[in-house]
Amino acid sequence: MSFGDNKLGIHALCWVGGWSEAEARKAIEGTARVGYDLIEIPALDPDRIDAALTAKLLQEYGLSATISLGLGPETDLSTGDPDKVERGEALLMKVVAIARDIGATHICGILYSALMKYHEPATEDGLRASVDVLRRVCAEADKSGITIGMEVVNRYETNIANTAAQGVALCEMIGAPNVKVHLDTYHMHIEEADAARAIVETGDRLGYFHLGECHRGYLGSGSIDFPPIFRALAQIDYSGPLVFESFSSEVVDPQLSRILGIWRNLWTDGEDLIGHALDYTRAQVVSAQQTEGLAAPRQRGVLQHG
Ligand code: MN
């Protein structure tokens, strides 16, 4: 596997707000029909996922799956509060079991703290409690060959990992072979001084990648400069999933949409958005492969002779 072989995926919330049988079928059938390889299924509440049904639909349509979530205030490992830590570990272990049962390859998101605006910095004790649990969660996931992605998000969604460098440090603290950094262009646009450089510095510790515009709408319609980002992914030969994430008040997940602050309509025609994202991503991947292929030998030459 190398850059260009990446599985291209889409977040299920581009299609549906819930995961009833009809919704799961609509999202999985649509994702396969448009031409994606992978669907990312949100699991803030894993009880709403019927694993047997989901596994059957994924198989029927030949799709890969991943699962994402953020912890909540009552399951926040980073509080260090014993009851919350226990509930957080139980939630993550339940998600690992579902991921195993549906054959998901990755569990990612804000697994180390709650997905919310904090009003205080993180504490050492809280971080240690979180890391202890995540080590056990990673070990359990590893038995089923599942990669765990620590998503780096902006300051309004966690107080622990806002930059790629903090994501790398968190993964090093956990120290599991299957823990990786999960980056997202939407968050990087807010927090990183240089997104491309952050990707290069993350290097082979990068295991999952979200593509999102600055306003979470159509790729290319906002202020994110995607070409250098894709060239950086080509430079580190990133071969993991590339997953488009977009949210609009057109499709509402009663939990996730509110936490993420999805108050306005960025699009109404999900089908058009979803097809466009795939075309846009493919074009960026091909362009990055070509430009890196042309540039790399000369760059090495400059370094050797300069
Ligand atoms: Mn994301």
Side-chain angles (χ1 to χ4, degrees):
M1 286 279 285
S2 56
F3 180 74
D5 303 326
N6 313 72
K7 285 200 166 148
L8 304 184
I10 184 138
H11 195 283
L13 197 44
C14 296
W15 291 106
V16 293
W19 206 249
S20 66
E21 178 164 3
E23 288 168 315
R25 184 173 285 280
K26 179 183 177 183
I28 290 172
E29 182 275 322
T31 298
R33 174 170 40 78
V34 172
Y36 284 91
D37 311 300
L38 181 158
I39 186 163
E40 180 179 314
I41 303 167
L44 270 70
D45 176 9
D47 288 332
R48 74 178 193 171
I49 297 176
D50 179 337
L53 167 75
T54 305
K56 186 173 82 71
L57 288 169
L58 290 168
Q59 201 173 21
E60 188 179 333
Y61 291 98
L63 273 193
S64 296
T66 60
I67 290 184
S68 60
L69 72 153
L71 299 176
E74 292 306 310
T75 50
D76 185 355
L77 300 176
S78 76
T79 56
D81 174 300
D83 291 339
K84 292 177 181 178
V85 170
E86 196 183 318
R87 283 196 292 268
E89 181 162 359
L91 171 68
L92 291 175
M93 289 300 189
K94 187 185 270 188
V95 172
V96 171
I98 289 171
R100 178 197 63 212
D101 293 347
I102 70 172
T105 54
H106 297 67
I107 300 168
C108 54
I110 310 162
L111 311 177
Y112 49 83
S113 78
L115 163 45
M116 65 176 205
K117 164 87 166 77
Y118 284 83
H119 297 274
E120 300 289 340
T123 65
E124 292 258 327
D125 287 352
L127 186 56
R128 205 170 305 123
S130 184
V131 164
D132 282 348
V133 170
L134 288 166
R135 225 172 258 145
R136 291 193 288 275
V137 169
C138 287
E140 187 59 27
D142 203 32
K143 291 179 193 166
S144 306
I146 297 166
T147 299
I148 301 291
M150 295 293 142
E151 186 167 15
V152 175
V153 297
N154 73 74
R155 66 191 69 187
Y156 308 109
E157 297 186 20
T158 186
N159 57 0
I160 290 182
N162 301 138
T163 65
Q166 289 175 315
V168 169
L170 179 61
C171 288
E172 278 174 359
M173 283 177 77
I174 298 165
N178 58 330
V179 71
K180 293 281 184 177
V181 178
H182 165 187
L183 295 177
D184 179 323
T185 56
Y186 163 80
H187 299 288
M188 297 180 90
H189 186 63
I190 298 171
E191 301 291 353
E192 302 287 354
D194 183 336
R197 186 172 175 165
I199 290 166
V200 169
E201 287 175 356
T202 304
D204 62 7
R205 282 168 293 203
L206 183 63
Y208 204 80
F209 202 79
H210 271 165
L211 297 164
E213 251 303 353
C214 63
H215 47 38
R216 295 202 184 263
Y218 276 79
L219 291 179
S221 73
S223 52
I224 294 183
D225 190 12
F226 281 103
I229 288 171
F230 277 89
R231 286 203 303 275
L233 292 170
Q235 247 177 62
I236 64 167
D237 200 21
Y238 172 70
S239 62
L242 291 169
V243 179
F244 174 56
E245 200 174 37
S246 177
F247 305 99
S248 168
S249 58
E250 182 70 15
V251 177
V252 174
D253 175 328
Q255 276 184 294
L256 191 54
S257 294
R258 286 175 191 161
I259 304 174
L260 296 177
I262 309 305
W263 312 131
R264 67 186 199 269
N265 247 346
L266 269 305
W267 40 265
T268 49
D269 186 346
E271 187 98 24
D272 182 64
L273 169 96
I274 289 162
H276 170 272
L278 186 61
D279 291 343
Y280 189 89
T281 303
R282 281 181 175 151
Q284 290 285 352
V285 167
V286 168
S287 170
Q289 280 179 304
Q290 290 175 344
T291 47
E292 268 313 296
L294 289 167
R298 270 68 170 184
Q299 280 165 355
R300 276 197 291 276
V302 167
L303 288 174
Q304 278 159 11
H305 303 121

